[in-house]
Amino acid sequence: EEAPPHRPRLVKMSSAEPGWFFCTAGRGLEPFLAREVRARLGATEVDCVSGKVFFRAAAAGPGELRKLRSAERLFLLLKKRSPLPVSGNRGKMLHEIKSLVIEEPKYWLDIISVWRKLHGHKGETDDVSQENALALKRKSEEETNTASKRQKKEQVSVIVSEECQVEAGETCVAPKRMSGRECWTESKTSSEFPSKGSGENPAVTEKLSFSFRVSCRCSGAIAKILTSQEIGRAIGVTLVKQCGWRADLRDPDLEIFVHLNDVQSVVGIPLCRLPLANREYIKTAGLRSTVAWAMASLAEISAGALVLDPMCGLGTILLEAAREWPEACYWGADISDSQLEGADGNIRTAGLMDRIELLKASVKALPLPSESFDSVISDIPFGKKFKTTNDAQLLPDILQEMERVLRVGGTLVLLLSQELHRRMDGLTRCAGGDSAEVSADGDSGAAPAQAPSVDGNSSSLAQGGGESILSRHFGSLVPEGVYAVSLGKTDAFIHKYRKVSAPGLK
């Protein structure tokens, strides 16, 4: 199912009328997000592209929308069109881009009304009259004429932050001066406008003093002709002149998001200042929360289940699972005192002390009964700070112990580096055949994020005299899916297995 190629206008949204939204997602998590918006929001017309998921859903409160766990940011969708034509005429291209965003003031009053409803504001712009809209337009024109006569100065301030390279650059790490907020290549145009206390008509003055910023990102062919700064500045200047808004880079009332590339042109408004991926209940961040949630969603956790993370680190996977599936019981183990202390702090901050137990133990010798857990989920450390020594060589021992404590019929979900992914492929190919190709949401509506072969010859690791011995050890684990995901500058792979028999039984 695909969303329409463009959405010419957004009108006032009633409680019974579905609205258009989109979310940004880390690379590889799009199918997980597509499944989630269908399940949580009853979304229809779900359309996945790299780094984004578009969908239509009945207008819900911000509480419902913010429950999405695999999304980075959530937006109200204003426009979605095919890529803008690229030519050597920069002026013509800028005109086309401005036409995509700029509408008459009444249109923007409707947009603000919908935006406020989704934020729970009442009565402020919900019933804007045509008289106020026309007054706003007249006032905007007067301001434009006056400004042109005195040649008012336009100052552009651009802040470019360091991207953390989630797919399509959808999120970034903001400089400290931005107080941890997400930021983009921002274009700010400041000028002179009436203040709220200037004695003007209160309804009109409020609209004139409305602050905004334009967040623009362009890539592909268009980026070779125009920069994000140029596009953002042109849009910002036009909105200032037409709507009479004032630009504010630091703390705007409204952010207008514009993303132009070779696939589509998108305009939207963020519904939350901070990314949904920033969990308020996590004191010390470890694994990206969206990836941790995706792993837990594959584990098929049910009420009363026992779930284990034998290399829990700071406990992010356990936290995501326990909040989503609270009727299960969770155990976390780690050999590092500092990691366990961090996990304990996170568990206490989240108020999950009664659901998650921690113990100090080596993953190679877990002090736990055999076949005692319904699900085992783990991020095998492969980062610079925490890494399993000689991890590829130790993988068989780690896998054997995880298999031992897993019940027949249970699921094993692992996050692996490229090196471990190739090693795991070799360990299990002889035992269980090729990895299953399954969609994250179990239907034909979203394509699977299947992991590609890293070296172009993944079967090469299945060769060698030792593999027949390994296949006897892991013959009870059947691969059910491999999903390539991005961890910023690092690629990783989620592997899912099911235990079909006790070790040694074929």
Side-chain angles (χ1 to χ4, degrees):
E1 295 174 337
E2 293 187 357
H6 68 278
R7 188 159 182 259
R9 181 157 307 201
L10 177 66
V11 297
K12 290 187 179 182
M13 188 189 308
S14 69
S15 59
E17 181 183 359
W20 283 99
F21 303 91
F22 73 95
C23 291
T24 54
R27 187 172 67 251
L29 294 184
E30 299 93 345
F32 292 90
L33 180 54
R35 170 193 175 187
E36 195 183 359
V37 296
R38 289 187 182 104
R40 289 193 197 275
L41 305 176
T44 59
E45 301 182 68
V46 180
D47 179 26
C48 294
V49 299
S50 180
K52 296 185 185 70
V53 174
F54 300 87
F55 60 94
R56 198 176 189 191
E64 290 299 314
L65 293 167
R66 288 171 184 164
K67 288 180 181 178
L68 295 172
R69 313 317 288 165
S70 52
E72 290 291 334
R73 294 193 78 187
L74 170 68
F75 297 82
L76 180 66
L77 177 62
L78 307 187
K79 305 284 181 64
K80 180 190 174 194
R81 294 181 179 174
S82 56
L84 293 172
V86 177
S87 67
N89 189 328
R90 291 164 51 87
K92 183 177 179 181
M93 288 180 62
L94 278 176
H95 176 75
E96 290 283 344
I97 294 169
K98 287 190 289 185
S99 297
L100 176 70
V101 180
I102 305 304
E103 295 273 359
E104 61 188 34
K106 180 62 170 63
Y107 165 82
W108 283 106
L109 293 180
D110 289 340
I111 294 297
I112 295 169
S113 175
V114 173
W115 175 73
R116 286 188 184 275
K117 284 181 180 179
L118 291 169
H119 276 74
H121 296 285
K122 296 181 180 179
E124 297 183 30
T125 59
D126 291 351
D127 298 308
V128 178
S129 66
Q130 186 67 25
E131 180 182 353
N132 279 346
L134 294 174
L136 171 59
K137 185 174 182 179
R138 287 196 300 269
K139 187 64 178 177
S140 300
E141 291 173 352
E142 292 172 4
E143 286 295 316
T144 301
N145 293 334
T146 304
S148 61
K149 288 180 181 179
R150 66 172 180 257
Q151 297 180 339
K152 63 181 178 183
K153 296 180 180 180
E154 299 165 348
Q155 301 174 342
V156 177
S157 173
V158 177
I159 294 178
V160 181
S161 64
E162 178 186 359
E163 298 178 2
C164 68
Q165 229 176 341
V166 172
E167 176 62 18
E170 298 301 352
T171 62
C172 64
V173 178
K176 291 182 179 178
R177 63 178 179 276
M178 294 294 285
S179 302
R181 285 184 185 166
E182 184 178 57
C183 68
W184 293 68
T185 302
E186 309 289 357
S187 297
K188 173 187 176 183
T189 306
S190 59
S191 189
E192 299 175 12
F193 301 98
S195 64
K196 290 186 178 181
S198 61
E200 305 276 353
N201 182 319
V204 176
T205 304
E206 180 182 355
K207 312 303 180 302
L208 290 173
S209 63
F210 200 85
S211 64
F212 79 103
R213 71 179 179 190
V214 177
S215 299
C216 180
R217 179 170 181 80
C218 61
S219 57
I222 195 169
K224 298 178 181 178
I225 309 297
L226 294 167
T227 66
S228 297
Q229 292 93 331
E230 290 174 310
I231 295 171
R233 181 180 186 274
I235 294 172
V237 169
T238 306
L239 281 172
V240 164
K241 292 178 179 179
Q242 179 160 319
C243 294
W245 295 344
R246 56 184 176 83
D248 186 346
L249 176 64
R250 300 288 177 174
D251 189 24
D253 296 320
L254 187 73
E255 180 182 6
I256 300 171
F257 167 95
V258 182
H259 190 184
L260 310 174
N261 57 30
D262 294 336
V263 178
Q264 58 197 192
S265 304
V266 176
V267 181
I269 298 177
L271 293 179
C272 308
R273 281 188 179 272
L274 294 177
L276 298 180
N278 289 11
R279 310 289 204 242
E280 73 283 353
Y281 52 81
I282 295 181
K283 180 180 179 181
T284 306
L287 176 66
R288 188 70 173 167
S289 58
T290 52
V291 176
W293 185 91
M295 292 176 66
S297 73
L298 290 173
E300 303 176 16
I301 301 170
S302 58
L306 289 176
V307 181
L308 171 69
D309 184 347
M311 306 177 78
C312 68
L314 295 171
T316 307
I317 296 173
L318 296 172
L319 291 171
E320 292 297 306
R323 287 184 64 91
E324 185 71 26
W325 297 276
E327 296 180 354
C329 299
Y330 300 89
W331 287 71
D334 206 284
I335 196 66
S336 167
D337 289 326
S338 62
Q339 291 291 88
L340 287 172
E341 289 175 6
D344 182 68
N346 281 337
I347 292 168
R348 292 182 181 278
T349 299
L352 297 173
M353 296 84 71
D354 59 334
R355 298 181 198 167
I356 304 175
E357 295 287 341
L358 296 176
L359 63 100
K360 182 176 181 179
S362 169
V363 68
K364 295 186 294 180
L366 294 169
L368 299 168
S370 297
E371 300 189 14
S372 55
F373 287 90
D374 300 283
S375 300
V376 176
I377 318 172
S378 190
D379 167 20
I380 298 182
F382 53 84
K384 292 181 179 180
K385 186 174 182 181
F386 295 98
K387 180 174 180 173
T388 304
T389 306
N390 299 321
D391 44 16
Q393 287 71 29
L394 290 176
L395 185 59
D397 294 335
I398 294 172
L399 189 61
Q400 185 173 358
E401 188 67 352
M402 291 181 180
E403 182 191 33
R404 180 185 68 81
V405 300
L406 184 63
R407 289 175 179 167
V408 174
T411 55
L412 171 65
V413 180
L414 301 175
L415 184 66
L416 305 174
S417 65
Q418 289 189 4
E419 180 184 8
L420 291 177
H421 161 69
R422 290 184 296 176
R423 179 65 169 164
M424 180 67 90
D425 186 56
L427 294 179
T428 57
R429 187 172 294 276
C430 286
D434 293 343
S435 297
E437 297 181 14
V438 296
S439 167
D441 59 357
D443 59 40
S444 58
Q450 184 185 357
S453 170
V454 175
D455 58 359
N457 184 21
S458 59
S459 62
S460 63
L461 287 172
Q463 301 172 0
E467 295 304 326
S468 60
I469 298 175
L470 292 173
S471 68
R472 288 201 299 271
H473 284 301
F474 307 116
S476 66
L477 294 177
V478 175
E480 290 199 344
V482 179
Y483 307 85
V485 296
S486 173
L487 301 180
K489 296 182 179 180
T490 304
D491 289 328
F493 300 85
I494 301 175
H495 284 237
K496 178 182 177 179
Y497 300 90
R498 187 175 303 279
K499 186 172 179 179
V500 297
S501 64
L505 297 178
K506 301 292 182 72

